[in-house]
Amino acid sequence: MSALAVDALRKSFGKLEVLRGIDLEVAEHEVVCLIGASGSGKSTFLRCVNLLEPIDEGRIVVAGEEITARGIDVNRVRRRIGIVFQAFNLFPHMSVLRNVTLAPRRALGLSRAEAEERAVELLERFGLADKRDEYPDRLSGGQQQRVAIVRALAMRPDLMLLDEVTSALDPELVAEVLNVIRELAEAGMTMVIATHEMAFARDIADRVCFLDEGVILEQGPPEQMFTAPLEPRTQQFLQRITEAGRL
Amino acid sequence: MTEPTPLGSRRSRILGGPRSEGARSALIAAVSTIVFFGLAVLLVTNAPGWPEVKRSFFSAEQFRDSFPDIVEAFGLNIRLFLVAEVFILAFALLLAVMRSVPGAVFFPLRLLATAYTDLFRSVPTVLVIYILGFGAPTLQLSGVPSSPFFWGVTALVLVYSAYVAEVYRAGIQSVHPSQEAAARSLGLSQPQALRFVILPQAVRRVVPPLLNDFIGLQKDTALVALIGPVEAFRQSQIEVAGSFNYTPYLATALLFILLTIPMARFTDWLIARNRRRELAAGGR
């Protein structure tokens, strides 16, 4: 059974059709990277999988359960799917520890002690133990994004969605966040990662999907995708990236 | 990351003149103030009618006689204010949340809250006090007090909640939608996201405008006098009626000023603090 199966997913914003029939299957423990130009639909796709955007057509199945079925409890679905955003979106009025314990306590019903134990364990694992009582505005961008990842992990999700999580970071802070993701991949976390970090995608992905105008135009193992893409559009995209010195 | 402090000082330099001239501008401000108010005082005290005005508005003797009674009556203004304030804060929050609930099913709720705020912001406060103060007790509803204090407070709560609800609503709308998305993505329900993530941020942001509305409320407690209770304004009317000297009105005004100024300065201080914090956080 695949961790995620998306079938003919379509999504429009007004007249603009952003996703024009996406099919994607992700196996358990698989890391799939989505690449493609801005506006190709990567973020919208991830938001649809987390049910943050209602879809127009198609089906999304997570671990055998169709989450786009009518009458599904979206809160229960979202507890199993973690998402990390480009802009961190930490809660600015809460300390790091409260950011991380809020959902386990309120959505999973953990006691404060249980939630804090879980949070501290994760914060220690990702080198953030000394930041537990800080507020987000006292942290660097890289630290904020690592806290955001920990916050999602505290729900013990089966699937993690990462939406260009290093795009808002200063260049020198990118590595610390990528290392966290690498560690997650090594631990066997199933992940779908939208990214502009091509070297990273090549290194970490089991499979790379190239999105173009709302469809997955081409997909394959990273070596093949980055060295011998078949589609002219993929070649063109990767060429531009190479010219910009990003590969 | 940009450093926040240079941005702050650059801004204040643009708005308020260079810092190095701080001492000089303070001196200019002081001299200008003394000259301005000195002239104003001279103008008034040299006016032909000044002796008459001084006798009927600034009588020290009248002030001494009436002030203790007015201060005592002013206690009622403060009670009206404090009781009304508590209910306004709660009721207005309810209204604001009602107006912010998304979803087609809740349209009637939003409609109701919108109609309410429109209605009570358009009717003059004094009319609401009259209508409730004289009309409602006539209904003789069982279990509902008929005291003017009760209906005075009710009228103030009804009117001010409409204003305060709009302040809350502005605060709710100022919280970026990505905060709600982050909360919901973690599996929190809509009400949980509102309670733990959106409202705490919204309320923090609107404290200064809330205090501003409460300054208005402090003054409007005087309107309750119109339906009977002897608060400071009514007490001063009584004093004036007995002596034909208007000094008690000034004494009452003085009390309201003494109550309002600390609150106004506190509000300014809060606004300045929020601004500093936003500049500090805005570097990212």
Side-chain angles (χ1 to χ4, degrees):
Chain A
M1 185 173 58
S2 47
L4 171 69
V6 178
D7 188 19
L9 175 60
R10 281 177 178 270
K11 167 74 187 172
S12 302
F13 292 105
K15 284 205 172 110
L16 180 71
E17 191 167 35
V18 180
L19 302 178
R20 299 184 303 137
I22 299 248
D23 298 295
L24 180 70
E25 211 157 306
V26 180
E28 241 177 272
H29 310 303
E30 193 182 14
V31 176
V32 172
C33 283
L34 307 176
I35 62 170
S38 298
S40 58
K42 303 186 297 290
S43 293
T44 305
F45 173 71
L46 294 181
R47 291 175 66 89
C48 284
V49 173
N50 201 28
L51 303 180
L52 286 173
E53 298 287 352
I55 67 168
D56 297 332
E57 275 176 54
R59 272 160 39 99
I60 302 172
V61 180
V62 173
E65 183 187 15
E66 189 190 341
I67 63 170
T68 43
R70 290 179 75 86
I72 200 101
D73 178 358
V74 294
N75 299 325
R76 186 176 55 76
V77 168
R78 291 199 187 107
R79 282 169 214 154
R80 300 159 52 201
I81 307 174
I83 187 166
V84 182
F85 305 94
Q86 182 177 342
F88 328 140
N89 300 355
L90 293 179
F91 307 131
H93 60 299
M94 294 181 184
S95 69
V96 164
L97 191 66
R98 280 206 60 209
N99 261 279
V100 178
T101 54
L102 176 71
R105 286 180 65 190
R106 304 297 169 183
L108 297 180
L110 260 56
S111 74
R112 187 182 171 143
E114 286 170 319
E116 286 187 354
E117 191 185 343
R118 193 185 269 202
V120 168
E121 193 182 305
L122 284 166
L123 290 171
E124 272 170 6
R125 181 170 154 204
F126 295 108
L128 292 161
D130 57 329
K131 304 292 179 204
R132 53 176 277 178
D133 297 319
E134 293 282 10
Y135 281 77
D137 65 356
R138 304 259 304 157
L139 304 178
S140 74
Q143 289 166 340
Q144 289 191 53
Q145 193 57 296
R146 277 149 64 205
V147 171
I149 294 173
V150 164
R151 182 174 70 176
L153 288 175
M155 295 297 287
R156 304 221 168 125
D158 304 323
L159 171 66
M160 283 282 280
L161 310 171
L162 307 183
D163 185 8
E164 295 187 22
V165 292
T166 57
S167 296
L169 295 177
D170 290 345
E172 78 271 18
L173 302 174
V174 168
E176 61 183 86
V177 172
L178 294 185
N179 287 338
V180 167
I181 301 169
R182 192 170 280 124
E183 193 185 325
L184 289 180
E186 280 160 12
M189 177 63 76
T190 314
M191 287 189 281
V192 181
I193 305 173
T195 185
H196 287 299
E197 301 285 339
M198 297 302 155
F200 175 71
R202 187 169 180 167
D203 181 35
I204 195 179
D206 297 309
R207 183 157 41 114
V208 173
C209 298
F210 174 64
L211 259 77
D212 186 58
E213 295 185 347
V215 293
I216 295 177
L217 194 63
E218 184 174 1
Q219 54 181 306
E223 274 316 303
Q224 184 227 310
M225 287 291 285
F226 286 112
T227 55
L230 302 173
E231 295 286 336
R233 303 273 305 185
T234 320
Q235 293 163 2
Q236 205 181 19
F237 173 74
L238 288 171
Q239 171 135 30
R240 279 208 299 271
I241 297 278
T242 312
E243 278 164 9
R246 298 294 292 267
L247 182 62
Chain B
M1 301 293 129
T2 53
E3 289 161 67
T5 17
L7 178 72
S9 57
R10 188 160 65 239
R11 222 182 137 105
S12 64
R13 213 172 300 143
I14 294 163
L15 298 175
R19 257 152 205 255
S20 55
E21 292 182 19
R24 210 176 134 233
S25 19
L27 184 69
I28 294 174
V31 171
S32 145
T33 310
I34 290 166
V35 170
F36 179 81
F37 286 103
L39 281 175
V41 168
L42 275 178
L43 198 71
V44 170
T45 51
N46 282 319
W50 170 245
E52 174 62 25
V53 169
K54 191 182 169 197
R55 197 172 48 74
S56 52
F57 277 94
F58 295 95
S59 153
E61 190 194 343
Q62 275 297 323
F63 188 86
R64 265 197 310 277
D65 285 353
S66 62
F67 200 61
D69 287 344
I70 294 175
V71 169
E72 204 188 320
F74 193 63
L76 181 60
N77 291 78
I78 292 179
R79 278 211 307 284
L80 282 164
F81 169 69
L82 289 178
V83 175
E85 186 185 64
V86 172
F87 287 101
I88 290 165
L89 280 172
F91 183 44
L93 185 61
L94 180 74
L95 284 170
V97 167
M98 273 169 71
R99 265 193 97 162
S100 305
V101 183
V105 193
F106 297 110
F107 180 73
L109 220 56
R110 289 196 293 274
L111 186 72
L112 202 66
T114 310
Y116 180 91
T117 46
D118 283 359
L119 180 71
F120 279 99
R121 283 189 303 164
S122 52
V123 182
T125 312
V126 67
L127 271 180
V128 178
I129 290 173
Y130 257 80
I131 293 167
L132 281 185
F134 294 129
T138 321
L139 287 174
Q140 298 181 332
L141 292 168
S142 64
V144 178
S146 62
S147 78
F149 180 88
F150 174 83
W151 289 108
V153 165
T154 305
L156 289 174
V157 169
L158 289 178
V159 170
Y160 271 84
S161 292
Y163 287 99
V164 171
E166 287 298 283
V167 171
Y168 275 133
R169 194 164 71 98
I172 290 172
Q173 285 179 345
S174 79
V175 177
H176 198 274
S178 64
Q179 285 287 310
E180 187 178 355
R184 298 301 308 274
S185 79
L186 288 163
L188 295 177
S189 65
Q190 173 84 37
Q192 284 176 325
L194 193 67
R195 177 172 157 210
F196 296 113
V197 174
I198 297 166
L199 284 182
Q201 296 184 58
V203 170
R204 226 158 285 203
R205 277 180 212 181
V206 298
V207 168
L210 279 184
L211 289 178
N212 191 44
D213 276 351
F214 284 145
I215 290 173
L217 175 66
Q218 285 176 353
K219 296 193 299 179
D220 280 357
T221 53
L223 295 173
V224 176
L226 296 169
I227 56 173
V230 180
E231 46 69 71
F233 171 57
R234 185 82 191 94
Q235 180 63 38
S236 60
Q237 280 183 317
I238 292 167
E239 306 273 348
V240 170
S243 66
F244 296 105
N245 185 293
Y246 299 118
T247 305
Y249 287 150
L250 255 91
T252 308
L254 185 68
L255 285 175
F256 277 104
I257 291 169
L258 289 179
L259 185 65
T260 300
I261 285 181
M263 188 114 135
R265 291 290 77 76
F266 179 60
T267 309
D268 285 352
W269 178 79
L270 274 179
I271 292 171
R273 195 189 63 172
N274 280 3
R275 197 180 145 68
R276 273 199 310 277
R277 284 188 176 170
E278 262 160 41
L279 283 174
R284 293 177 206 287

